[in-house]
Amino acid sequence: MSSLRTDDDTWDIATSVGTTAVMVAAARARETERDDALIRDPYAKILVSGAGTGVWERILDPDLSAKIAEVDAEIAAIFEHMGNYQAVRTRYFDQFFADAAAAGIRQIVILASGLDSRAYRLPWPDGTVVYEIDQPKVLEYKAARLAEHGVQPAARRVEVAVDLRHDWPKALREAGFDPTKPTAWLAEGLLMYLPAAAQDRLFELITELSAAGSRVSVETVGVQAEERREQMRERFERIRGMFGFEETVDVAELMYHDPDRADVAEWLEAHGWRATAVTSVAEMRRLDRWVLPEALSGDGGFSQFVTAQK
Ligand code: SAM
């Protein structure tokens, strides 16, 4: 169970689950600046620097890794690994959308879109509509911040400001979504913030709303043993103290560590989808971004990237 969550909690970009959108966008901003970048998100930096979390903006500091390494080399490796993970996952889902567009899908739904800038940065074919679902204040922040910087969406972008624990299908339809057309759905960085039952419900609703030919791509939750989470918490605590990150929300405490979550690929296969899954470990190794020392790799519990077609 999550200790910081309630069934009807809400947030903006600078609080609670909202800040996790800033955290992952900061990783994309860092990646974009690498010579060997796997992805390019030219808007991530703008979005992170204006968010006002007081914490995740500091990930933009190019010297941060070196500063952490001076204190704790293993934490520095974990930090680098986490950045690599975000880059690899972003690339996987960018490719998912490129494939969906090539297959003729023009209706896109990004669930829990946070500071995802794909509606602005991917080369969408004419006629594409991108629905973005997230909390009202999160969507509001992104659109306003990018507009301030003269950045326009590259497709028709439609905000669907609704909590995914509420009647989001109704809100989506009211926003113009057409369930008779094939859709490409994305759930990236979302499932860990939903309890197991809400995850099942989410996929039931996606299935109901998906015409034949629809696709869905998902980052699954890698559930790690409580003991390992505790070890990591203690180490990060030390780093937080040293770098003045005390005010950071403990992200692990925002997540639901439900051990009996459905296996997403199996669930989809059992409900009318053809699914393929790749472990994030395999994908990171394939792209030569696995830097975690053996001793820190723990007992598994890593996520998968799943893509399915109906
Ligand atoms: N998908 C984006 C990405 O990968 O950059 C954002 C990921 S961020 C880690 C988690 C996002 O999930 C936040 O933007 C948060 O607002 C959203 N979120 C989590 N639970 C939600 C819910 N119940 N309803 C709507 N949005 C939710």
Side-chain angles (χ1 to χ4, degrees):
M1 270 305 292
S2 162
S3 61
L4 294 179
R5 303 293 307 278
T6 58
D7 288 345
D8 56 357
D9 51 350
T10 61
W11 49 84
D12 58 20
I13 197 65
T15 54
S16 180
V17 188
T19 65
T20 68
V22 184
M23 175 181 75
V24 295
R28 290 193 290 268
R30 287 285 300 267
E31 176 70 18
T32 300
E33 289 181 352
R34 283 175 67 134
D35 293 337
D36 61 349
L38 293 176
I39 55 113
R40 280 193 45 73
D41 183 346
Y43 310 124
K45 195 172 185 173
I46 295 171
L47 290 167
V48 172
S49 58
T53 65
V55 175
W56 300 119
E57 294 82 348
R58 296 175 65 176
I59 293 183
L60 299 176
D61 173 0
D63 299 327
L64 185 62
S65 307
K67 289 178 192 161
I68 295 176
E70 279 170 21
V71 179
D72 185 330
E74 285 192 347
I75 288 285
I78 293 167
F79 182 67
E80 186 188 348
H81 195 78
M82 285 162 52
N84 284 347
Y85 175 81
Q86 297 298 331
V88 168
R89 111 177 174 183
T90 305
R91 182 177 158 123
Y92 179 91
F93 296 119
D94 281 4
Q95 188 61 48
F96 165 72
F97 281 131
D99 293 344
I105 297 178
R106 299 288 179 266
Q107 183 164 259
I108 308 296
V109 180
I110 303 181
L111 301 156
S113 54
L115 299 183
D116 181 333
S117 69
R118 289 189 178 92
Y120 297 79
R121 70 179 175 82
L122 294 187
W124 300 105
D126 286 349
T128 304
V129 186
V130 180
Y131 294 93
E132 292 194 8
I133 303 183
D134 208 302
Q135 291 265 344
K137 288 183 179 159
V138 171
L139 290 170
E140 220 174 87
Y141 167 72
K142 176 166 65 181
R145 179 79 178 157
L146 290 179
E148 251 170 55
H149 284 77
V151 183
Q152 295 300 323
R156 191 157 78 79
R157 173 179 175 271
V158 180
E159 292 186 359
V160 186
V162 62
D163 193 297
L164 285 160
R165 295 162 294 186
H166 299 160
D167 191 358
W168 61 267
K170 179 167 176 275
L172 186 60
R173 283 169 191 268
E174 284 172 2
F177 173 86
D178 181 352
T180 66
K181 288 187 183 156
T183 302
W185 303 86
L186 175 63
E188 176 190 32
L190 166 63
L191 298 186
M192 57 291 276
Y193 303 106
L194 297 177
Q199 171 179 315
D200 290 351
R201 185 72 190 129
L202 183 81
F203 287 117
E204 280 164 17
L205 294 169
I206 290 174
T207 302
E208 278 171 33
L209 291 168
S210 290
S214 293
R215 299 178 181 204
V216 60
S217 206
V218 182
E219 177 193 21
T220 72
V221 183
V223 179
Q224 293 190 326
E226 173 57 33
E227 189 190 343
R228 179 159 163 72
R229 287 207 307 275
E230 190 47 46
Q231 282 169 1
M232 296 303 283
R233 192 174 298 137
E234 283 165 13
R235 298 187 72 156
F236 277 114
E237 212 47 61
R238 215 152 55 82
I239 295 285
R240 282 180 2 179
M242 283 172 179
F243 289 95
F245 280 10
E246 289 90 343
E247 67 279 32
T248 323
V249 184
D250 186 341
V251 174
E253 288 300 310
L254 296 170
M255 299 178 179
Y256 291 87
H257 303 281
D258 291 352
D260 54 355
R261 234 172 235 284
D263 178 282
V264 174
E266 282 173 14
W267 192 100
L268 289 168
E269 281 281 343
H271 292 82
W273 299 79
R274 257 183 305 116
T276 52
V278 60
T279 64
S280 55
V281 177
E283 198 58 3
M284 289 182 77
R285 290 195 194 282
R286 184 178 76 78
L287 294 166
D288 203 17
R289 287 299 189 93
W290 183 271
V291 296
L292 209 56
E294 205 57 49
L296 295 179
S297 299
D299 51 359
F302 296 101
S303 64
Q304 293 184 331
F305 305 136
V306 175
T307 293
Q309 193 167 343
K310 197 173 178 212

